[in-house]
Amino acid sequence: MTMEAYRYADGTIGFPGHHLGPDGEEPVDTVDLSEFTATVVTWTTSTATPPGVREPNHLAIVEFDLEDALEVDQPPVRALGQLTTGDVETGDEVRPIYVEELREPGVGIKVTESQAWDGYRFEPV
């Protein structure tokens, strides 16, 4: 599974991807963010989580600086996601790791089969 960001004709990269970019055009390519490391911009711990979400739930906003790696001239790409641990600080480097269940399937009000339960957490490097 990929952590798919979209690249648009004007060179921008967006995550999550949208069917139309900043210039109103469709994406021209994708970028798998799971191949890159990111930097923690800010983080928090939630101790009052929704049903089926682990408690405590450590969350972070991270920033992927793709300028050098992809030879693009654009601001860093930001993502919000769970952390594997609460032992992080602003400025720490993390990498996305795939997990099959970000929350317990079947818990909540939506039909289990209508939901995707997998995704990425961020792990300190």
Side-chain angles (χ1 to χ4, degrees):
M1 170 164 191
T2 61
M3 187 176 180
E4 192 170 80
Y6 287 4
R7 187 190 306 239
Y8 301 95
D10 67 357
T12 61
I13 299 171
F15 179 81
H18 297 280
H19 63 279
L20 293 178
D23 60 0
E25 298 291 323
E26 293 184 6
V28 296
D29 199 5
T30 60
V31 175
D32 183 2
L33 295 178
S34 69
E35 297 176 359
F36 302 93
T37 59
T39 303
V40 174
V41 174
T42 189
W43 62 276
T44 190
T45 297
S46 172
T47 56
T49 62
V53 176
R54 66 188 181 156
E55 188 179 319
N57 190 24
H58 308 291
L59 302 163
I61 296 174
V62 302
E63 201 169 70
F64 292 89
D65 188 355
L66 304 174
E67 196 169 35
D68 292 336
L70 298 179
E71 297 178 3
V72 294
D73 182 23
Q74 76 145 47
V77 175
R78 288 188 173 185
L80 168 67
Q82 293 180 343
L83 292 161
T84 60
T85 178
D87 188 23
V88 296
E89 296 294 333
T90 299
D92 284 356
E93 191 174 4
V94 294
R95 66 184 177 101
I97 59 162
Y98 176 76
V99 293
E100 290 187 17
E101 292 181 359
L102 290 173
R103 59 182 290 178
E104 184 181 339
V107 176
I109 60 174
K110 294 186 177 182
V111 177
T112 302
E113 294 77 27
S114 72
Q115 302 296 299
W117 304 101
D118 62 342
Y120 284 86
R121 286 191 178 122
F122 297 107
E123 175 181 73
V125 174

